[in-house]
Amino acid sequence: AVVEKCRFRTATVFDVSQTVGKELPSLGVEQLTGSVSGYASLIAALKEISPVPVDTGVLRPGAYGCYSHVEERITIQKGLTQAQTVKTLIHEIAHARLHTLPVLNGVVMGSHEKSRPTREIEAESVAYVVCQYLGIDTSEYSLGYVAGWGRDREMKAFKSSLACIRNTAAELINGIASRCPEIGRPAAREEHPLADRTAAR
């Protein structure tokens, strides 16, 4: 019989504080900053559009929002900036619209057809498009977020998600525009003809 033994050996390691040179580049930003024009009206409209109730609460460190299948609820971290709150809420609404699973007696039934990275890329892409319409630049945050989830095979799956992203973004933009016609730059409406079309196909 063959017996395999695992052993560990010592190795030299170093901490980044022991190095010299330029700062390492980072992808994205930690949190969006800034205020949002018509913030209270926009949040009210997004809560109306959301397929599940929305509240604020304390989430695990590093999490800005959470969509719970079991509780059928979106929770947004307390104390975020206005821009981060709007972006995160749109991201979680996209999850609630696109990635919900049935729940029976408090147990999630079934499993997702799409991988988690693909679901995250879809939700963040919807948030990016809608925020662009609203005049909120999330590109630094969103592109870093998508890059963090994206791998070659996920990006191939992402290509098949483009129609889904477009239609979901159009539905949200139409919902916001009908409830808050004063929100969203006229230039953004011209750049994003999604706002003037229905997504139902």
Side-chain angles (χ1 to χ4, degrees):
V2 177
V3 177
E4 289 186 14
K5 294 184 179 181
C6 293
R7 294 190 177 126
F8 297 95
R9 63 184 178 89
T10 58
T12 304
V13 296
F14 64 91
D15 183 77
V16 71
S17 65
Q18 297 170 300
T19 63
V20 293
K22 294 180 181 178
E23 287 291 319
L24 294 172
S26 62
L27 281 174
V29 294
E30 297 236 349
Q31 185 178 153
L32 296 169
T33 58
S35 58
V36 175
S37 178
Y39 176 74
S41 298
L42 178 57
I43 292 296
L46 288 170
K47 286 181 176 181
E48 263 187 63
I49 292 166
S50 175
V52 296
V54 175
D55 61 16
T56 58
V58 178
L59 300 172
R60 64 177 171 74
Y64 295 152
C66 175
Y67 165 58
S68 170
H69 293 277
V70 174
E71 296 176 15
E72 296 182 336
R73 170 174 302 281
I74 291 170
T75 304
I76 303 297
Q77 176 68 43
K78 287 181 179 178
L80 298 179
T81 64
Q82 289 184 356
Q84 187 68 53
T85 299
V86 169
K87 200 284 310 172
T88 300
L89 181 51
I90 294 168
H91 177 107
E92 299 305 332
I93 289 171
H95 276 311
R97 283 180 170 241
L98 296 174
H99 309 134
T100 190
L101 290 172
V103 176
L104 182 62
N105 298 324
V107 177
V108 176
M109 307 302 288
S111 60
H112 292 284
E113 292 177 10
K114 297 176 182 177
S115 68
R116 177 149 187 230
T118 298
R119 297 193 312 269
E120 291 300 330
I121 289 169
E122 286 180 350
E124 191 63 23
S125 298
V126 168
Y128 172 78
V129 171
V130 176
C131 284
Q132 286 297 306
Y133 165 79
L134 296 171
I136 304 168
D137 182 13
T138 70
S139 56
E140 216 177 328
Y141 183 97
S142 295
L143 296 178
Y145 189 96
V146 168
W149 282 104
R151 300 289 181 269
D152 287 343
R153 71 176 188 277
E154 301 306 336
M155 294 316 286
K156 287 175 186 169
F158 171 69
K159 288 179 184 176
S160 68
S161 298
L162 291 176
C164 168
I165 291 165
R166 182 216 174 275
N167 290 343
T168 305
E171 289 171 7
L172 296 181
I173 288 170
N174 287 334
I176 292 166
S178 67
R179 290 165 176 82
C180 305
E182 74 284 1
I183 294 178
R185 301 171 302 168
R189 288 195 186 98
E190 290 168 17
E191 292 166 15
H192 293 281
L194 299 177
D196 301 317
R197 303 177 189 168
T198 57
R201 299 249 184 269

